[in-house]
Structures are given as structure tokens and as C-alpha cells.
Amino acid sequence: EAGVAQSPRYKIIEKRQSVAFWCNPISGHATLYWYQQILGQGPKLLIQFQNNGVVDDSQLPKDRFSAERLKGVDSTLKIQPAKLEDSAVYLCASSPVTSGRGDKQFFGPGTRLTVL
Amino acid sequence: AQKITQTQPGMFVQEKEAVTLDCTYDTSDQSYGLFWYKQPSSGEMIFLIYQGSYDEQNATEGRYSLNFQKARKSANLVISASQLGDSAMYFCAMREANTDKLIFGTGTRLQVFP
């Protein structure tokens, strides 16, 4: 079974530029998550999709971050314009169902973003 | 608000020895879930073990066990017979009640030496 795919793996941009990340979840997984992991910290949830609808985006900086999940499969996360503090690893995860007691989230390898 | 605390920034253990990684949590919810993930240098978060708040037995998965002490709000990970490949960051996480949202601690870097 293929895991969660993300691209690109690395991205370096200058501040005020825009950037987009792509995620392909495990086939059949209804729920998709985007996390931000700043160096030295644990991941922080940015947004959660159930199929193609947003379940939780309370911690997404909506003035600069946007995300979509067309057709309930692939997802893109965009930052426009980027700031220095956006430098982080962006992790995508998926899970088969929501609110299952022990349903674990499967993570992709992440995209490491450096903003100069 | 829910919070996860991992007080050990780094731990060293010799190969084949056991090691305990500490995790305490804070929540007012009665129903919650606790997870441990491993993050090697490649960056991917790998699920290790899960404990539900109503589970009476401590969870075990191979060489991993979770020492769950509900009254003390602790969920320590025990790795038995450490291997060189266990060297990685380890994160404790909690699932909020009635959601899928995971709250992570700051992690513990484990280094296994020969």
C-alpha cells in the first residue's frame, strides 16, 4: 500500500514570494490533515479536511495561507505572501475515518520550506 | 486547554537496554486518546502506539509499551531492547475529545549507542 505522498520535498523562497505544496493521501482515506512543524517543536494542525469539506481550520493564518482538496483526494496548501516565520516542515497526514478511538494518522515525508 | 509536556529534550541509551521517555498531559476531558510517534531524520512521523483513556490495560506493540498512569496524567513510552535504528525524535500526542485533532509535545531526541 502506497503511503502519503508529498512534493516538493524541499523549497527555498524569498519572503513575500508565494509557494504551494501538494499532498496525495493514502487511497480511500477520507480525512486529510496539514500540519506545520517549526524547528524544535511538535507538529501543529493547520487544517483538516473530511472528503472535500473543511472540518477545522481554526489555526490556519487565513490572511496568507489557503488550502483546498478538490474531489476529496489530493490537496494543495498555499502560502502567499511568505514570511520568514513560515520556515518550517509542512506535513500532510491522512486517516481512514474521523473520530475513531484509535484511528491513527499516517504521515507523509513532509516539505521543508526555507524562507530567506 | 489541552497540553502535552515532554521534559526530556534528549536521552541516551545503550543498545539492548530499555529506555523510558516521559510524557505528561493536561486535559479536563474524560475521553481522550494518547499516541506516540517516531520521527527519524527522514522527517516522516511513524505511529508507534495508542492508549485510550478508558483502556484498563497498558498498550503494547512489540518492543514498545505505554506506561499509562491516569491519576498522574502520564503516558510514558518504554522501549525495550533498544536498537541503533531507534535513534530518532519521539513525540507524544493527545487527541482531543470528539475530534481528530492531535496536540503534540515538543519531542525527545533519543540516541542509541553501541
Side-chain angles (χ1 to χ4, degrees):
Chain A
E1 179 182 79
V4 177
Q6 290 188 246
S7 68
R9 291 296 312 277
Y10 305 91
K11 189 73 177 179
I12 300 174
I13 62 172
E14 296 191 348
K15 60 184 179 183
R16 290 187 290 273
Q17 285 187 322
S18 62
V19 65
F21 312 128
W22 173 83
C23 173
N24 180 240
I26 293 173
S27 178
H29 280 195
T31 310
L32 184 147
Y33 314 80
W34 282 102
Y35 287 86
Q36 180 193 56
Q37 186 178 16
I38 293 172
L39 186 65
Q41 300 181 19
K44 181 185 79 172
L45 180 70
L46 291 176
I47 188 167
Q48 175 188 347
F49 292 94
Q50 166 76 4
N51 296 312
N52 61 349
V54 175
V55 174
D56 184 350
D57 64 355
S58 58
Q59 298 190 90
L60 186 74
K62 298 181 185 64
D63 57 332
R64 298 183 300 106
F65 286 65
S66 65
E68 60 182 8
R69 190 184 184 196
L70 299 176
K71 301 180 182 179
V73 182
D74 294 6
S75 177
T76 56
L77 176 69
K78 297 179 181 177
I79 307 175
Q80 182 179 11
K83 293 185 175 182
L84 296 177
E85 59 260 35
D86 298 332
S87 294
V89 175
Y90 290 85
L91 294 163
C92 180
S94 69
S95 65
V97 294
T98 58
S99 299
R101 289 180 64 245
D103 288 329
K104 54 184 177 280
Q105 297 178 18
F106 296 82
F107 284 79
T111 297
R112 183 178 298 277
L113 173 67
T114 302
V115 182
L116 303 176
Chain B
Q2 285 87 349
K3 185 179 179 181
I4 293 284
T5 302
Q6 295 181 256
T7 57
Q8 305 158 314
M11 291 284 286
F12 287 89
V13 66
Q14 189 166 31
E15 199 176 7
K16 300 179 186 176
E17 296 294 312
V19 63
T20 298
L21 306 184
D22 295 341
C23 172
T24 58
Y25 59 92
D26 187 19
T27 181
S28 56
D29 295 324
Q30 296 301 309
S31 177
Y32 50 89
L34 296 159
F35 297 77
W36 277 92
Y37 280 85
K38 172 184 178 181
Q39 187 176 43
S41 56
S42 60
E44 187 172 345
M45 301 283 282
I46 302 168
F47 167 80
L48 296 178
I49 197 166
Y50 165 81
Q51 179 85 41
S53 59
Y54 292 117
D55 294 340
E56 295 184 353
Q57 303 267 2
N58 284 345
T60 60
E61 292 279 356
R63 295 186 298 111
Y64 305 107
S65 61
L66 200 152
N67 184 0
F68 182 46
Q69 298 187 45
K70 195 170 182 177
R72 300 179 63 180
K73 293 189 175 179
S74 74
N76 298 340
L77 176 71
V78 180
I79 306 174
S80 63
S82 297
Q83 302 172 357
L84 295 177
D86 293 334
S87 294
M89 284 291 291
Y90 288 80
F91 289 92
C92 181
M94 179 169 61
R95 185 206 302 276
E96 293 186 340
N98 300 318
T99 76
D100 303 297
K101 181 177 179 178
L102 289 179
I103 298 170
F104 286 85
T106 53
T108 296
R109 180 171 297 281
L110 176 67
Q111 295 189 58
V112 182
F113 59 94

